[in-house]
Amino acid sequence: MSDSVLSFRVRVDHGCLLVRDMQGDDDVSDWDPGSSNWYKSGSSVIFGVLPASEGRIECEVWKSRPHHLLPIRLFAEKIESPSGWLVIHDPNEHVRMAFRGSLGSTRVSALVDNRDFASKVQIVIGDDIE
């Protein structure tokens, strides 16, 4: 049985994705992708991926350690989630997927195939990936 919650393959116009509490509206506009490939503000994390002009990205969300880990841990952060639901989306919301986190606080890790221009992303909920 798989612990994968969801997966999608999509072009991401601005070359970034956000993971946040479903009801969160934190401002991530202070993120400077030239100085850091991810940024956290409140209950939101924004991170860089392959821009749409370069191709599609593949993204998976897992509730436990994936069977085949991607090689680079981009971040591991706690996200406050009063609703118990998290969402992953691009800034234009061409893709928006909701999934169950934990009520209160959820540990979220992102694994990628490339630190600067990820074409594959694994979001892991709850597990700390070392």
Side-chain angles (χ1 to χ4, degrees):
M1 179 155 77
S2 172
D3 289 324
S4 176
V5 176
L6 62 92
S7 65
F8 57 89
R9 188 169 182 225
V10 66
R11 290 184 186 273
V12 180
D13 286 338
H14 296 287
C16 60
L17 289 173
L18 291 99
V19 179
R20 63 174 56 186
D21 177 66
M22 183 177 270
Q23 298 171 346
D25 60 356
D26 300 299
D27 181 9
V28 293
S29 63
D30 285 343
W31 178 46
D32 175 10
S35 64
S36 177
N37 47 14
W38 68 276
Y39 173 77
K40 181 179 179 201
S41 177
S43 64
S44 301
V45 179
I46 187 169
F47 60 98
V49 295
L50 190 71
S53 61
E54 299 296 319
R56 297 177 193 266
I57 64 148
E58 296 177 31
C59 184
E60 304 170 338
V61 177
W62 292 81
K63 282 204 171 187
S64 65
R65 186 182 183 92
H67 305 294
H68 302 284
L69 294 174
L70 291 175
I72 301 164
R73 184 173 99 170
L74 192 61
F75 65 83
E77 292 288 324
K78 285 195 176 191
I79 294 179
E80 294 304 315
S81 181
S83 71
W85 284 88
L86 300 175
V87 65
I88 185 166
H89 64 92
D90 69 300
N92 290 340
E93 300 214 14
H94 291 146
V95 62
R96 182 180 174 90
M97 305 282 183
F99 51 93
R100 184 65 117 157
S102 297
L103 203 53
S105 179
T106 299
R107 183 138 183 104
V108 177
S109 300
L111 301 162
V112 295
D113 64 340
N114 181 300
R115 185 171 299 282
D116 297 317
F117 297 105
S119 63
K120 294 183 180 178
V121 178
Q122 292 171 326
I123 302 295
V124 183
I125 307 303
D127 256 355
D128 186 19
I129 304 298
E130 295 289 331

